[in-house]
């Protein structure tokens, strides 16, 4: 509905995520994994793709956050994202959205913080507050992907778009990293 701030429906089982720490925790959106019976995580490793079985560590549908786990011994070979802060963001700052839009993996788009303090509805129907608005292209499949600042620090998790067509119209939303720190 183009007159509401509700996120667009995204097909279950498609999405993105990012490595949170060296313990094998992978963060994504709850709506990406809800109702899943099994999960696999695909990581790019020196130009090759490696697939890992993942288990559900925890989730909060009210904030649209889920944490998956892969074998910690395998996870140690990958570098987790540098965690930034969202409390000091300003409109106009550069943003980079990483994800898997429409199944096109390893995608990167660039934009700016175009709004702060937005609100979107979570999969449970509750509001997610203080959401970051960006004009970096976010499409179905980007859900759960990293939103970075110009220094490559995590500032949010791509979560929803506002679009009557279901494709990016330049209005994307990300759960702020300060919320993720608490939820994860």
């Amino acid at each position: 509905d183009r007159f509401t701030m509700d996120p667009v429906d995204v097909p279950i089982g498609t999405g993105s995520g990012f490595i949170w720490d060296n313990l094998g925790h992978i963060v994504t959106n709850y709506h990406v994994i809800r109702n899943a019976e099994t999960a696999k995580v695909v990581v790019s490793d020196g130009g090759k793709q490696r697939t890992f079985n993942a288990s559900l560590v925890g989730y909060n549908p009210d904030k649209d956050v889920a944490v998956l786990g892969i074998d910690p011994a395998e996870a140690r070979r990958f570098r987790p994202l540098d965690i930034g802060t969202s409390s000091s963001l300003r409109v106009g700052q550069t943003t980079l959205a990483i994800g898997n839009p429409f199944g096109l993996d390893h995608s990167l788009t660039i934009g700016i913080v175009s709004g702060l303090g937005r609100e979107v509805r979570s999969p449970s129907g509750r509001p997610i507050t203080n959401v970051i608005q960006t004009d970096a292209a976010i499409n179905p499949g980007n859900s759960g992907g990293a939103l970075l600042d110009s220094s490559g620090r995590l500032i949010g998790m791509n979560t929803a778009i506002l679009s009557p067509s279901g494709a990016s119209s330049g209005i994307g939303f990300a759960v702020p990293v300060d919320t993720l720190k608490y939820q994860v």
Side-chain angles (χ1 to χ4, degrees):
D1 182 342
R2 65 182 175 176
F3 299 108
T4 70
M5 296 295 279
D6 291 344
V8 170
D9 287 333
V10 177
I12 293 173
T14 61
S16 304
F18 50 90
I19 300 170
W20 183 264
D21 57 27
N22 286 324
L23 301 175
H25 295 118
I26 310 297
V27 177
T28 190
N29 283 129
Y30 169 75
H31 76 257
V32 170
I33 58 93
R34 81 174 153 217
N35 300 327
E37 293 181 19
T38 62
K40 293 192 182 294
V41 172
V42 179
V43 179
S44 180
D45 184 12
K48 296 184 234 171
Q49 290 189 347
R50 299 200 45 200
T51 302
F52 300 95
N53 290 322
S55 60
L56 182 62
V57 175
Y59 61 92
N60 184 349
D62 292 344
K63 297 296 182 187
D64 201 9
V65 176
V67 178
L68 301 174
I70 63 172
D71 180 9
E74 292 287 345
R76 285 189 196 89
R77 65 184 312 148
F78 304 112
R79 183 174 171 231
L81 286 176
D82 291 331
I83 308 296
T85 184
S86 49
S87 63
S88 60
L89 290 176
R90 300 286 179 249
V91 171
Q93 282 185 247
T94 300
T95 59
L96 298 110
I98 297 176
N100 183 32
F102 302 110
L104 301 170
D105 57 352
H106 304 102
S107 291
L108 172 75
T109 60
I110 189 167
I112 62 167
V113 172
S114 49
L116 294 165
R118 303 296 194 223
E119 185 176 291
V120 296
R121 194 172 313 276
S122 73
S124 67
R126 297 186 53 112
I128 305 172
T129 58
N130 295 319
V131 172
I132 303 162
Q133 180 184 329
T134 182
D135 68 348
I138 297 174
N139 286 290
N142 276 105
S143 292
L147 186 69
L148 308 174
D149 65 15
S150 59
S151 296
R153 291 180 299 250
L154 182 71
I155 57 171
M157 177 176 58
N158 305 322
T159 299
I161 59 174
L162 180 64
S163 170
S165 68
S168 180
S169 62
I171 303 175
F173 301 100
V175 175
V177 71
D178 292 345
T179 299
L180 294 177
K181 289 175 188 176
Y182 179 78
Q183 293 299 314
V184 173

